[in-house]
Amino acid sequence: MSRSTVSEIPTRAKNKEKPDFAGDYILERVVLTNHVGFKVDVKHIMLELNIYESIYKNAITGSIVIADEGNQIARMSIQGLEKIAFHLKTPGVAYGREDVVDASEETGEPYHIYKVTDRKQLTPGAVVYTLHFASREFMRNIRTKVSQAYDGKYDRAVIDIMKDENYLDSRKKLHYEPTGNANKFVVPNLNPFAAINMIAKRSVADKSGGVGYYFYETTTGYHFRSWQSMITNQGNFARPPKQQFYYQQLKMDSDPASTNQDKIEREYESVEAYEFINNFHDVAANTVLGTYGHRVISHNLFDKSYDIADYNFHNEYRRTPHLDTVEGSSLNKFPVMDTPVDYDNNDNVSDYPESRVSLQTTTPFLHDKDVGNYGLDAQVDGEKTGQGISQTNQVVQGTALRMTVKGQSYLQSGDLIRFNLKDVNSADTDNDDDPRFSGNYIITKIRHQVTKDQYKMILECAKDSVATSYGDLRPNPHLNVNKTSRKRIELEEIDGDIGY
């Protein structure tokens, strides 16, 4: 065998037009290439392949567990400079570039091995170890720095950093949402990912008005977009779910025409297991973090003035799209209601702006432009900061769901799905969906898990609303139910004078 030849193990021909079972996959080869170009197919000794993607991460990472009886790790001089190439797909899907995990040398871009861990000797002739890999941009990021001034729309600066051969030099597709703000700013010697994350925090969506962007990589390329763009199209129209998932007993149609393929399709929609990582909106934590009420004081360094902006969650909620509430005229499905929270007034959780107080500086004319930190009027800096912090908290501190489903290579982080969870109320004979936890979710993290037997996905999903408005469940949502039996504070002095 020549040094450039890939050794292959014969495998059974697989039907690429339809899956044989839910969790079926096509993975013809997993080619490992070392630093001198020697290649070997390690699929036959692979125990598990994992690929991780997340809207909170700037690059894809992964691992492959290998049971090695031929001491390939020594023969190939594996040291963290290798590449790994494969092409993973679910049988029966459209097979566009958006539907597969393409890390092949022919049509995609291989991942880079960067470390070897967990080496264990199982028998005298076999060892197990884990190879960790990441995308090329991950490695470029830690090797380069951005020190440059940019002037114009924020999305154009991100595009420049992505394609510049001195920075990320990426060849992958960049899915980006145009920003509605522009500014002149300097990136002060930061890694490319840090530079883009800095820009993302200041970006305001052109159509939806969402404050703050996510910059992340999926198996189909890079994404630079707002939370609102994951929910809507063009900022106004609800996106259809990429997939429907059900946690219930699957019932097949008694129609004799029902086929095995129908069962497979239903199994792809079935949730094997689920758990809520955060199944209750933590009112105390969100109050402290400024999700509901937030006072932002902006100090203008140019004219030595200051401005105070108070963010109110319930007022702002109606102005932006949410997962179960897109149209402005539809019923607002707050994760927490706007009812009074104390007995001495009718204020709700959003009416206490001093729950969190932040101080920030703004510098108009820093680059001869009368704009603030967001490239807009400096007077709106506090307002935009409050909106951005609250939106982030609604996602991170809101309802979070983890579930295990059959592998579907066309699903990505950032996709909208619908989770249909039946109400556990036994008195409800119709068994409608759960009024709080059903509904639309955004996939925030995916673990693609491929073993010799099947392809599974562990999804983490988040939502910033509830399926059924709490207003539907209360006859008078503004009724103050808080009562006290005391009219004033009671005082008692400790160790006071003893009277005789």
Side-chain angles (χ1 to χ4, degrees):
M1 181 180 70
S2 67
R3 296 182 67 85
S4 61
T5 303
V6 177
S7 60
E8 299 186 27
I9 302 298
T11 57
R12 176 178 61 88
K14 184 179 287 291
N15 187 342
K16 299 183 180 181
E17 299 302 323
K18 61 181 181 179
D20 295 333
F21 56 91
D24 194 8
Y25 65 91
I26 298 174
L27 180 67
E28 295 178 348
R29 298 186 300 176
V30 179
V31 179
L32 188 63
T33 306
N34 72 357
H35 61 286
V36 295
F38 180 72
K39 299 180 179 181
V40 62
D41 184 0
V42 297
K43 181 189 173 184
H44 62 290
I45 58 175
M46 178 191 82
L47 298 181
E48 183 176 287
L49 171 66
N50 295 288
I51 307 167
Y52 302 94
E53 57 180 88
S54 168
I55 66 171
Y56 308 122
K57 287 173 48 180
N58 300 137
I60 282 182
T61 58
S63 63
I64 179 170
V65 181
I66 291 178
D68 189 356
E69 294 182 351
N71 200 18
Q72 297 286 0
I73 191 171
R75 292 173 51 207
M76 294 192 67
S77 302
I78 294 177
Q79 53 192 284
L81 298 175
E82 296 71 34
K83 294 181 181 180
I84 188 166
F86 55 87
H87 192 275
L88 172 67
K89 57 187 176 183
T90 300
V93 298
Y95 292 160
R97 294 191 65 182
E98 304 290 312
D99 300 323
V100 300
V101 182
D102 189 357
S104 65
E105 292 184 326
E106 294 78 16
T107 57
E109 190 166 332
Y111 293 112
H112 290 233
I113 303 291
Y114 64 89
K115 70 175 178 179
V116 184
T117 63
D118 304 323
R119 180 184 169 106
K120 299 176 182 177
Q121 186 162 348
L122 298 181
T123 66
V127 293
V128 174
Y129 50 88
T130 302
L131 302 179
H132 298 263
F133 59 83
S135 62
R136 174 176 174 268
E137 289 77 8
F138 175 91
M139 303 304 296
R140 290 280 300 184
N141 172 69
I142 60 179
R143 293 170 177 154
T144 59
K145 288 285 196 299
V146 180
S147 185
Q148 186 172 332
Y150 294 93
D151 190 2
K153 291 288 188 75
Y154 283 118
D155 56 89
R156 303 311 305 178
V158 172
I159 293 172
D160 288 344
I161 294 173
M162 286 291 294
K163 69 180 183 181
D164 194 311
E165 63 181 11
N166 295 314
Y167 304 143
L168 291 179
D169 189 30
S170 180
R171 317 297 167 83
K172 295 174 182 174
K173 180 182 287 188
L174 174 63
H175 311 259
Y176 73 97
E177 179 186 13
T179 57
N181 55 337
N183 202 358
K184 185 174 183 179
F185 61 96
V186 175
V187 178
N189 200 37
L190 300 176
N191 291 109
F193 286 170
I196 295 176
N197 290 335
M198 180 187 75
I199 296 169
K201 289 182 179 179
R202 301 178 181 178
S203 296
V204 178
D206 183 33
K207 296 187 183 300
S208 68
V211 182
Y213 272 42
Y214 291 84
F215 173 66
Y216 61 98
E217 184 184 10
T218 70
T219 53
T220 64
Y222 269 89
H223 301 257
F224 182 70
R225 64 197 302 196
S226 68
W227 173 261
Q228 285 74 16
S229 80
M230 303 180 202
I231 300 170
T232 67
N233 188 8
Q234 301 296 317
N236 294 310
F237 308 103
R239 288 189 184 274
K242 192 81 170 281
Q243 179 63 291
Q244 296 263 1
F245 289 107
Y246 300 86
Y247 187 75
Q248 62 185 35
Q249 186 67 34
L250 295 175
K251 297 180 180 179
M252 285 301 302
D253 192 339
S254 58
D255 186 345
S258 180
T259 64
N260 183 61
Q261 196 63 27
D262 297 326
K263 295 179 182 178
I264 293 174
E265 291 177 3
R266 293 199 181 198
E267 287 177 5
Y268 273 117
E269 297 179 346
S270 176
V271 176
E272 292 186 10
Y274 79 92
E275 63 174 326
F276 283 98
I277 308 168
N278 179 18
N279 63 352
F280 187 79
H281 205 74
D282 190 329
V283 175
N286 279 285
T287 299
V288 173
L289 292 169
T291 307
Y292 310 133
H294 187 184
R295 174 163 292 172
V296 184
I297 303 172
S298 300
H299 180 216
N300 190 319
L301 296 179
F302 179 73
D303 60 13
K304 306 301 185 290
S305 64
Y306 70 90
D307 177 73
I308 298 176
D310 288 343
Y311 174 82
N312 184 292
F313 170 76
H314 288 96
N315 291 345
E316 293 293 334
Y317 191 93
R318 298 175 174 88
R319 300 174 185 171
T320 55
H322 299 268
L323 274 163
D324 295 294
T325 308
V326 172
E327 299 82 5
S329 59
S330 63
L331 193 61
N332 294 295
K333 300 175 181 179
F334 309 122
V336 60
M337 275 301 291
D338 54 349
T339 51
V341 294
D342 210 340
Y343 55 75
D344 62 340
N345 56 53
N346 288 320
D347 292 341
N348 61 53
V349 291
S350 300
D351 293 327
Y352 293 88
E354 291 183 330
S355 299
R356 174 174 179 176
V357 179
S358 300
L359 175 65
Q360 65 180 10
T361 59
T362 181
T363 315
F365 300 106
L366 179 63
H367 298 289
D368 299 324
K369 291 186 177 183
D370 187 11
V371 295
N373 296 332
Y374 295 87
L376 306 170
D377 191 328
Q379 294 294 318
V380 303
D381 274 5
E383 174 188 336
K384 295 301 180 185
T385 297
Q387 292 173 358
I389 289 175
S390 178
Q391 179 62 76
T392 300
N393 292 340
Q394 290 174 53
V395 177
V396 177
Q397 301 294 330
T399 301
L401 165 71
R402 180 187 293 125
M403 59 184 180
T404 302
V405 299
K406 301 298 184 183
Q408 297 158 66
S409 60
Y410 49 86
L411 289 179
Q412 311 166 46
S413 293
D415 281 345
L416 189 151
I417 62 169
R418 183 169 182 83
F419 180 47
N420 299 280
L421 178 65
K422 289 301 181 183
D423 193 341
V424 296
N425 184 1
S426 58
D428 184 2
T429 56
D430 293 332
N431 201 23
D432 292 331
D433 285 346
D434 187 286
R436 179 180 177 88
F437 299 116
S438 288
N440 294 331
Y441 284 80
I442 294 295
I443 301 175
T444 57
K445 299 179 183 179
I446 298 181
R447 175 188 177 184
H448 304 261
Q449 184 182 43
V450 180
T451 62
K452 292 184 179 297
D453 299 324
Q454 62 179 327
Y455 171 23
K456 287 187 178 183
M457 302 174 82
I458 294 89
L459 309 180
E460 288 192 19
C461 312
K463 69 184 307 173
D464 59 354
S465 58
V466 292
T468 303
S469 169
Y470 288 125
D472 292 348
L473 308 177
R474 295 177 57 87
N476 185 356
H478 298 288
L479 176 66
N480 193 338
V481 298
N482 301 288
K483 304 293 181 183
T484 179
S485 60
R486 302 180 185 274
K487 296 183 182 293
R488 62 180 62 89
I489 189 172
E490 292 187 5
L491 301 177
E492 179 179 344
E493 182 179 348
I494 300 174
D495 296 335
D497 292 338
I498 301 176
Y500 293 97

